Amino acid sequence: MAEIESESGLKIVDAFDLDADLRALLRPGELAEGIGGQCHHLPRYFYEIPSHEAAREIRLTPHFGLNEFVLVDLKEAARLRAFPRYVPCAIRLAAFYLERLREAAGAPVHLAVNGGYRSPAHKLSVAATPHMWGTAADVYKIGNVVLRDRASIETYNRVIEDISDDLYAMPYGHEIGKADDHIHLDLGYVTLVPREISEDRLEAPQERPRFAFEERRRGDRRGWPREPLSEVLPAGAHANPSASAPEK
Ligand SMILES: [Zn+2]
């Protein structure tokens, strides 16, 4: 395998390799209990975000940047707000489905502060929620519609559940387990093991650093054609006109 430069691409880390403070905050592989009493293993593989600039630059999909999933306030542990920061690898699945929501809604989808990844140490992480897996998003606005009433929340919840049976949208309401000032959608407790990772060990360090999709995307290094996909695929095969427009 060719040597991969570290300044580009997202480094994948096994949280068991992180220092003791980070491990205590991220609790890789530990069981966390949800409101209903079901227990789930917390994620173990994370992307390392080296800097604020990297968080702003790295895009997970055409319209969703990594930074949108790690916007937190003082409710998150101080160490986890300092770079390098860590986000579960399954975050890319959340971004993929949010991109589908954007397509279905035909308008930009805005995530709330604390509305993406929340660590187990985050003050809102009282019980296991998919936010701790990076597979949930709280959306406060779609296009110009601020989601603070039953009509708008239920309308977009229908849109979300129509996209895929993988998606759950929290019902409108004021009680625990419901939402009245945002839309919560999630994929459940999904963990993602990047293909670069070997699972044939328990808690010993990986021998050398691994890097993820951002690097592989650089198709020109593989000699891929430079034309956009829409020109390479047969007519009609590329039915997503928004994919070529990166602005929000
Ligand atoms: Zn939520």
Side-chain angles (χ1 to χ4, degrees), residues 118 131 137-138 182 184:
R118 305 199 291 246
H131 286 285
D138 294 338
H182 65 279
H184 164 106

Side-chain angles (χ1 to χ4, degrees), residues 64-205:
F64 290 92
L66 189 51
N67 59 317
E68 295 171 78
F69 294 89
V70 295
L71 274 180
V72 288
D73 60 19
L74 298 176
K75 295 188 187 73
E76 185 58 277
R79 172 59 190 87
L80 297 178
R81 284 183 276 119
F83 291 95
R85 292 181 60 181
Y86 299 91
V87 62
C89 294
I91 200 82
R92 57 206 256 196
L93 301 179
F96 175 86
Y97 280 97
L98 283 166
E99 189 72 27
R100 303 286 83 76
L101 172 58
R102 189 188 194 278
E103 280 170 13
V109 169
H110 301 276
L111 267 60
V113 174
N114 300 311
Y117 172 57
R118 305 199 291 246
S119 84
H122 192 289
K123 288 202 166 59
L124 293 176
S125 300
V126 282
T129 87
H131 286 285
M132 295 152 67
W133 277 252
T135 51
D138 294 338
V139 174
Y140 76 94
K141 196 166 87 160
I142 296 180
N144 293 321
V145 179
V146 179
L147 302 160
R148 301 191 74 95
D149 60 87
R150 177 186 291 273
S152 61
I153 289 175
E154 290 188 344
T155 297
Y156 283 108
N157 278 358
R158 280 183 60 191
V159 173
I160 288 164
E161 296 194 330
D162 198 45
I163 292 171
S164 166
D165 289 341
D166 294 336
L167 285 175
Y168 167 80
M170 191 176 273
Y172 175 86
H174 311 297
E175 307 86 34
I176 286 178
K178 300 186 177 180
D180 60 8
D181 63 354
H182 65 279
I183 278 176
H184 164 106
L185 62 140
D186 72 64
L187 292 159
Y189 303 91
V190 182
T191 52
L192 192 149
V193 180
R195 57 173 61 76
E196 292 84 355
I197 286 291
S198 171
E199 293 186 88
D200 62 347
R201 63 180 200 120
L202 288 174
E203 296 177 18

Side-chain angles (χ1 to χ4, degrees), residues 192-221:
L192 192 149
V193 180
R195 57 173 61 76
E196 292 84 355
I197 286 291
S198 171
E199 293 186 88
D200 62 347
R201 63 180 200 120
L202 288 174
E203 296 177 18
Q206 297 275 343
E207 306 215 325
R208 60 182 119 101
R210 322 261 161 165
F211 296 90
F213 59 98
E214 191 71 13
E215 178 65 17
R216 292 201 304 270
R217 246 187 218 164
R218 293 166 186 258
D220 52 344
R221 295 190 185 202

